[in-house]
Amino acid sequence: MGAFGIAIALLVLPIILENQIVCGKQIIYRLKKCDIYQGRWVYDPNSYPLYDSSLCHFLDHAFDCQKNGRADELYLKYRWQPYSCNLPMFDGEDFLERFRDKRIMFVGDSLSLNQWQSLTCMIHATSPQSGYTIKRIGGSSTFTSKSHNVSLMLARNAFLVRIDQQRYGRVLKLDSIDLKDGKLWKEYDVLIFNTWHWWLHPRRKQPWDFIQDGKTLHRDMNRLVAYEKALKTWARWVDKNVDTKKTKVFFQSISPSHWNASHWGYPEGRNCTAERKPLVVAYPRSKHPAEVIVEKVLSDMSKPVVLLNVTGLSQLRKDGHPSIYGNGAHLGMDCSHWCLPGVPDTWNQLLYTELIRN
């Protein structure tokens, strides 16, 4: 290239870069204006699944439906398409670069485990050269990217509020956060909370014997009332203790199950066993009762908490559960958790989108 050509290139380059920056701002502007949770599931065999479960060696056996013998693959190939915009494709390298030397924590029950495992597999698939370590201690697991020093921790905590062992039994305290939990939460740069899955478990399966509301001890109480009281306790803790200039807080809305899909017009007692395709329904839909409580509690908070509103889009995915292809491939039925790859990958794509547009 001659001197004239070099001079022209130097003049044009800033214009190209400026256009790229403007384009990026336009994309972010469109994402900010878009309701990414309103849309439909689109069959996309060219882009999905986002990873091969056989290459994600740390994937929990109970979620690896293909390895456990599920023969159909349609459920792997659906993409969430918002009505008024396109979601950015997940980029593991970009994700790691954005959170270099940062720490991210999922706090919740086995649905948080589902999402945490999904995100670690997505990062490993799109940034396989970064290297990783995984440490598991008790109810906590930590995935760390060696190249970027990004830690993703899962802290198992089914209720967010405390359970104390007393001489007369285990007590679920609706008005108290465990001090050790709170101290740990404050150390992280991104927090993704979740609780609901265990709140309706009957007495034989519940991990507590009594519920304490203030100074009153109950054998049991309305579970939705108890759930709201616990969420308000968590919300007060966030408002008082989280510096949102340093820490970004998310709350994952209710992950629906499909144990009995009669409310979708199916015969009574039908579950997720033979489901192969998502439902197609028109909005607006009726909201899950716990979903209404979550939205109310978050709206009353003084600190900003982003709602990962996955309930509606997940309700459509009756095909995405392990059914008989979970539980370590033993006989049993699971219509609450999700196969991986699968629906939680979309939850993490929405999380990624929220991080970009905010």
Side-chain angles (χ1 to χ4, degrees):
M1 181 184 293
F4 180 74
I6 293 173
I8 293 296
L10 291 174
L11 287 171
V12 171
L13 181 60
I15 298 173
I16 295 173
L17 293 176
E18 183 179 356
N19 285 340
Q20 288 176 342
I21 293 170
V22 170
C23 179
K25 288 181 178 179
Q26 288 175 344
I27 291 171
I28 292 172
Y29 176 78
R30 285 197 295 270
L31 286 175
K32 282 180 177 289
K33 295 293 183 181
C34 177
D35 185 348
I36 58 176
Y37 304 102
Q38 297 275 0
R40 61 193 179 95
W41 290 99
V42 176
Y43 182 64
D44 186 354
N46 296 320
S47 304
Y48 285 74
L50 297 179
Y51 53 90
D52 183 343
S53 62
S54 67
L55 301 180
C56 185
H57 305 296
F58 42 85
L59 179 59
D60 193 302
H61 191 54
F63 303 144
D64 192 349
C65 299
Q66 291 290 302
K67 187 174 183 179
N68 292 339
R70 183 166 176 172
D72 66 295
E73 297 184 353
L74 279 178
Y75 75 95
L76 295 168
K77 302 175 187 294
Y78 284 94
R79 169 175 54 83
W80 179 248
Q81 177 61 57
Y83 290 133
S84 54
C85 65
N86 294 318
L87 294 178
M89 286 297 294
F90 181 82
D91 185 332
E93 287 286 347
D94 177 66
F95 185 94
L96 292 175
E97 190 58 46
R98 287 174 184 271
F99 292 99
R100 182 181 289 275
D101 300 321
K102 300 291 185 182
R103 299 202 292 172
I104 300 167
M105 178 186 278
F106 289 86
V107 185
D109 53 34
S110 53
L111 276 307
S112 288
L113 168 63
N114 229 175
Q115 185 175 5
W116 174 81
Q117 288 224 304
S118 162
L119 183 56
T120 56
C121 286
M122 290 167 70
I123 290 173
H124 179 56
T126 54
S127 183
Q129 305 305 318
S130 63
Y132 68 89
T133 61
I134 288 187
K135 293 182 180 179
R136 293 183 172 91
I137 303 175
S140 300
S141 301
T142 303
F143 172 99
T144 302
S145 163
K146 291 182 178 180
S147 61
H148 294 74
N149 191 32
V150 178
S151 294
L152 283 80
M153 182 177 183
L154 168 74
R156 295 291 290 269
N157 190 324
F159 300 99
L160 302 184
V161 292
R162 287 169 60 190
I163 296 181
D164 279 355
Q165 181 66 55
Q166 304 288 352
R167 58 180 176 78
Y168 47 82
R170 302 161 299 173
V171 182
L172 177 65
K173 297 194 170 185
L174 299 181
D175 59 353
S176 181
I177 299 290
D178 187 279
L179 292 176
K180 290 182 180 179
D181 290 339
K183 183 179 180 181
L184 183 63
W185 297 349
K186 287 191 283 187
E187 296 176 0
Y188 280 74
D189 301 286
V190 179
L191 293 167
I192 304 105
F193 291 97
N194 156 63
T195 179
W196 170 245
H197 187 57
W198 280 85
W199 282 92
L200 294 184
H201 280 208
R203 188 178 302 276
R204 189 165 54 90
K205 293 185 177 181
Q206 67 196 26
W208 44 263
D209 303 300
F210 299 92
I211 299 177
Q212 184 172 337
D213 180 16
K215 295 182 179 180
T216 306
L217 204 63
H218 303 270
R219 274 286 185 185
D220 207 346
M221 63 187 296
N222 183 294
R223 300 300 180 84
L224 282 170
V225 172
Y227 180 67
E228 183 171 4
K229 288 177 179 289
L231 275 191
K232 287 180 176 178
T233 297
W234 165 83
R236 285 192 296 270
W237 184 92
V238 171
D239 281 341
K240 181 180 179 181
N241 292 281
V242 174
D243 178 2
T244 51
K245 292 181 181 178
K246 172 187 175 293
T247 303
K248 190 77 174 173
V249 183
F250 294 86
F251 194 96
Q252 178 195 303
S253 64
I254 310 307
S255 174
S257 61
H258 292 88
W259 289 96
N260 189 334
S262 60
H263 58 291
W264 293 112
Y266 290 123
E268 185 69 31
R270 174 167 171 167
N271 58 34
C272 65
T273 313
E275 302 303 330
R276 298 292 179 263
K277 295 181 180 180
L279 288 158
V280 179
V281 298
Y283 287 91
R285 61 181 177 83
S286 58
K287 290 190 175 182
H288 192 291
E291 183 184 7
V292 176
I293 290 172
V294 169
E295 292 179 2
K296 180 178 182 297
V297 170
L298 265 57
S299 67
D300 290 339
M301 295 178 67
S302 60
K303 295 287 179 68
V305 174
V306 178
L307 177 65
L308 286 175
N309 193 5
V310 302
T311 308
L313 61 93
S314 303
Q315 278 182 334
L316 303 177
R317 292 304 305 273
K318 58 185 174 61
D319 59 318
H321 300 287
S323 66
I324 59 173
Y325 304 106
N327 299 313
H330 299 302
L331 288 178
M333 180 63 61
D334 184 353
C335 294
S336 296
H337 300 96
W338 304 91
C339 295
L340 293 178
V343 173
D345 304 334
T346 294
W347 299 351
N348 285 318
Q349 193 176 1
L350 293 164
L351 172 64
Y352 180 62
T353 303
E354 292 284 17
L355 291 166
I356 288 175
R357 71 179 184 174
N358 289 292

